[in-house]
Amino acid sequence: MKTRRSLRIAIIGAGSVGNTLGRLSLENGGKVVCVVSRTERSAHAAGRFLRCRTVSTDLHAIPRTADVLLIATPHSAVEEVARALAQIEEYDYSGVAVCHTSGMLTAEALDPLARRGGTVFSFHPLQTFPRDFPPRAIVPTAKGITYGVDGSSAGLRAARRLARVLQGRVLEIPVERRALYHATCVVASNHLTALISVVESLHKLLGTKEEDFYRVFKPIVMATLRNIERTSAARALSGPVARGGVETVARHFEAVARYAPDMIPYFVQMSKETVRLAEAKGSISAAQREAMAALLHAYENPTTQVPQ
Ligand SMILES: NC(=O)c1ccc[n+]([C@@H]2O[C@H](COP(=O)([O-])OP(=O)(O)OC[C@H]3O[C@@H](n4cnc5c(N)ncnc54)[C@H](OP(=O)(O)O)[C@@H]3O)[C@@H](O)[C@H]2O)c1
C-alpha cells in the first residue's frame, strides 16, 4: 500500500457495507476519492454521504491516486469486478491495495489484480449491515470491529493498516476454513436473530395482553449477554438444564409439544447444546446427563416412549 498521511480510498459497490466503511474512514481522517456502483442512483447517494465528487458506474473513473480499492459489491460480482479492473491496462496497480468485503471469498478472488502488481487481501467486516437500516445508523456499530482477512504477507500488512484506519483489528482466517468462519458469523448474527424470533413466536402463545415481546424479554437477553462477556458462556449458564432439573425440562417439552409442536426439533437441538454446556460447567451429574439424553432422544424419535 502506498504510504500517505491519510488513506485515499475508492469504494466499488455503494451498498450498506461500502457506505459504512467509507464513512468510517472519512471520520478517521481518510478520504474517499471515488465511488463506483452498478447504478447512478446508489453511486450519487453514496457520493453525498461520503463527501466525494467522483461518482460513476464505470471503473475507469477510479483515480490513479487511490491507495485502496475496496470492493463491496455482492460476493457474486467480486470476481467479475476484479477481472474488469485488471483489464484496465493504463492503471498501474503496483503499490495499490485491493480488497473485497465478502465473508465467503478469500483473497484468491482478486488474483487477476495480484498478477497486475496489486497488493490483494480479503477484508470481511465481522458485523451485520442490515439493508433496512440507513448507513448513518450502522456506522456507530462498525467502530472497533474485527475484520476476517487473508492474503500474502504484504496483503496482511495492508489489511492491518486499513483496519487501523477504520478503528478495527484483523483476524487471520486460514483459507481452507473460510466457509467455516463465515458459518460462525452466521450463527453469531443470523441464528441469534432467528432465536429471538422464536422467543417472539412463543410469547404470542402465552395468552397475555402484552404485545411488545421485546420489552418483556430484553432485560433477560441483555443480562445474559453481559454475563457471558464478563465470564464465559459456561459460567453464565443458569436454568433447569444447568441444574440437572430433568422433570422441569420434561414439563417444558410437554408444553412445547402441545402449544408449538413445530418447535420440537429446535427445542431438542438447543437442549442438547445446553446439556453440553452444563457438562462443561460441571453442574450436572452423569446420571442427570443420561436422563436428559433419554428425554431428548424420545422427542427426537417420536416412536420412542418418553421416559417417565
Ligand atoms: N450485509 C451484511 O451484513 C454484510 C456483512 C459483512 C460483509 N458483507 C459483504 O459485503 C458485500 C456488500 O454487502 P452489502 O450488504 O453492502 O450489499 P448491498 O447493500 O447489496 O450493496 C452492494 C452494492 O454493490 C453494487 N453493485 C452490484 N454489482 C456491482 C458491480 N458489478 N459493480 C459495481 N457495483 C456493483 C450495488 O449497486 P446498486 O445499489 O446500484 O444496485 C450495491 O450498491 C457482500 O460481499 C457481502 O457479502 C455483507
Side-chain angles (χ1 to χ4, degrees):
M1 198 189 296
K2 291 170 191 165
T3 48
R4 276 177 217 278
R5 243 183 304 125
S6 68
L7 216 56
R8 299 166 66 86
I9 301 182
I11 305 284
I12 303 164
S16 306
V17 172
N19 270 290
T20 302
L21 298 191
R23 183 69 182 212
L24 212 48
S25 74
L26 200 65
E27 289 180 6
N28 289 294
K31 186 168 168 50
V32 177
V33 291
C34 177
V35 178
V36 177
S37 203
R38 195 176 58 88
T39 61
E40 293 270 355
R41 193 162 174 264
S42 66
H44 280 278
R48 284 190 295 277
F49 186 54
L50 302 176
R51 296 186 203 137
C52 169
R53 288 213 184 95
T54 309
V55 295
S56 180
T57 56
D58 184 351
L59 294 169
H60 288 83
I62 298 171
R64 308 292 172 265
T65 52
D67 304 309
V68 183
L69 312 188
L70 185 123
I71 304 174
T73 64
H75 89 263
S76 56
V78 169
E79 284 168 317
E80 168 202 319
V81 167
R83 278 195 299 275
L85 283 169
Q87 277 165 13
I88 306 177
E89 284 183 7
E90 60 274 24
Y91 207 109
D92 176 11
Y93 287 99
S94 52
V96 179
V98 191
C99 62
H100 67 71
T101 60
S102 160
M104 274 301 285
L105 299 172
T106 64
E108 198 184 349
L110 305 175
D111 268 355
L113 289 155
R115 287 196 288 276
R116 291 281 323 273
T119 303
V120 305
F121 54 99
S122 67
F123 195 74
H124 172 249
L126 211 170
Q127 183 53 286
T128 177
F129 299 75
R131 310 236 155 93
D132 291 345
F133 290 62
R136 196 176 291 283
I138 302 177
V139 171
T141 71
K143 289 179 183 162
I145 64 170
T146 296
Y147 294 84
V149 303
D150 76 280
S152 62
S153 44
L156 292 174
R157 273 198 303 278
R160 273 187 222 106
R161 180 164 181 228
L162 180 57
R164 265 199 306 278
V165 168
L166 300 174
Q167 291 186 329
R169 58 190 286 275
V170 303
L171 180 69
E172 275 180 56
I173 310 295
V175 288
E176 71 282 5
R177 301 200 189 174
R178 186 72 181 193
L180 182 65
Y181 157 75
H182 195 227
T184 310
C185 300
V186 164
V187 174
S189 176
N190 310 152
H191 289 195
L192 178 62
T193 309
L195 184 149
I196 299 295
S197 93
V198 170
V199 177
E200 183 174 19
S201 302
L202 292 173
H203 170 259
K204 285 196 181 116
L205 300 171
L206 295 182
T208 74
K209 291 201 177 95
E210 174 63 64
E211 287 188 355
D212 185 354
F213 92 99
Y214 198 71
R215 188 170 114 171
V216 176
F217 288 95
K218 181 182 166 186
I220 192 171
V221 170
M222 294 306 186
T224 305
L225 291 178
R226 273 197 303 275
N227 294 344
I228 293 170
E229 187 176 15
R230 276 188 208 135
T231 56
S232 66
R235 287 184 63 196
L237 185 68
S238 63
V241 173
R243 289 193 298 270
V246 186
E247 282 172 27
T248 304
V249 177
R251 297 277 306 278
H252 291 170
F253 268 95
E254 284 166 25
V256 174
R258 177 171 175 196
Y259 292 103
D262 291 353
M263 298 280 183
I264 286 291
Y266 167 85
F267 227 71
V268 168
Q269 201 50 47
M270 288 311 283
S271 299
K272 278 187 187 174
E273 294 303 330
T274 315
V275 171
R276 253 195 281 271
L277 203 52
E279 272 188 281
K281 187 182 176 77
S283 66
I284 56 172
S285 66
Q288 288 166 329
R289 187 195 61 216
E290 290 307 316
M292 211 81 81
L295 177 72
L296 300 181
H297 181 77
Y299 277 96
E300 204 170 24
N301 304 276
T303 51
T304 314
Q305 222 187 350
V306 175
Q308 298 303 315

